[in-house]
Amino acid sequence: MKEMQTLAVTTRTGLGKGANRKLRATDMVPGVYYDAAGANIPVMVEHLPLEKLYAKTSSAHVFHLDIAGESGKEIKPALVWKLQHHPTKARITHVDFYGVDLEKPIRVHIPVEVTGKAKGQVKGGALEIHRETIEVSSLPLSIPDKVVIDITELDVNESVQVADLKLPEGVTAVYDDNFAILAVLMPEAEEAAAPAS
């Protein structure tokens, strides 16, 4: 089990646009921690540590949220739920944290990574990636970093379906209908299939 990251936040009392603007002027990001039990706590966090944490965890990995408030400190397992960014600057303007129960499965999206060169590509086929992430269900501490798909044996007009994925024990893909994550197609076949305009 890999070591969990920790992010320190402080509860805040000032709410609304004016208070949030003042926070951002001091390099703080306003946010809300949504507890698994349904409570929500307004918090603030320094911009740089939040940015660094998100680069490591994105929205898929649980970390320790160290919440300092009037009644002392509490450490909660959490995910970054939503980030809002400034429209023109590379700045996070708001963050939502979501508290998780380490004993209950959660659903998250994890990236798909492709390795190898498909047999079909050697024959002139083109690799088409239909999904760059997939949704999985897993206990919070068992979430894999990514799904790696080796396409070496994939021939022309063959695809990898979500049901074909080999996932770690305890991790399942979430889907209603089986769908193709990627496929190797011949460009000519695509052109022939395209309707004449």
Side-chain angles (χ1 to χ4, degrees):
M1 190 183 294
K2 49 185 179 251
E3 191 180 334
M4 281 169 68
Q5 303 283 323
T6 300
L7 181 68
V9 302
T10 310
T11 57
R12 62 188 169 98
T13 51
L15 304 176
K17 288 185 179 176
N20 289 348
R21 238 191 325 269
K22 284 178 186 170
L23 277 181
R24 293 183 192 113
T26 61
D27 215 31
M28 299 295 282
V29 179
V32 178
Y33 168 73
Y34 294 89
D35 194 278
N40 53 1
I41 304 167
V43 295
M44 54 188 177
V45 57
E46 288 182 59
H47 188 272
L48 187 59
L50 172 61
E51 205 172 40
K52 285 182 174 176
L53 174 105
Y54 191 70
K56 290 177 183 171
T57 66
S58 66
S59 293
H61 292 294
V62 178
F63 58 92
H64 290 301
L65 194 66
D66 189 337
I67 306 171
E70 289 176 9
S71 54
K73 280 192 174 192
E74 276 188 290
I75 295 179
K76 305 266 193 181
L79 287 167
V80 174
W81 189 18
K82 285 181 193 162
L83 282 185
Q84 289 175 16
H85 287 88
H86 191 280
T88 56
K89 299 175 188 170
R91 301 285 300 172
I92 299 165
T93 56
H94 193 275
V95 58
D96 287 336
F97 300 107
Y98 183 68
V100 297
D101 181 336
L102 297 180
E103 303 302 315
K104 291 183 180 173
I106 56 171
R107 290 181 173 193
V108 293
H109 283 85
I110 57 172
V112 170
E113 183 180 291
V114 176
T115 63
K117 183 163 186 173
K119 281 196 295 193
Q121 285 177 290
V122 178
K123 297 175 183 176
L127 176 66
E128 287 198 2
I129 296 176
H130 306 305
R131 302 284 178 103
E132 293 186 348
T133 66
I134 63 156
E135 188 176 18
V136 297
S137 173
S138 162
L139 288 175
L141 297 182
S142 300
I143 298 165
D145 290 332
K146 59 194 171 189
V147 176
V148 179
I149 302 175
D150 184 348
I151 61 167
T152 312
E153 294 303 312
L154 209 60
D155 212 334
V156 174
N157 296 326
E158 290 184 347
S159 63
V160 175
Q161 309 279 321
V162 67
D164 302 331
L165 293 178
K166 291 178 177 62
L167 296 169
E169 192 177 341
V171 180
T172 55
V174 178
Y175 57 93
D176 292 324
D177 298 307
N178 194 14
F179 59 83
I181 297 169
L182 53 84
V184 176
L185 301 172
M186 286 304 269
E188 298 82 7
E190 285 176 31
E191 285 165 24
S197 53

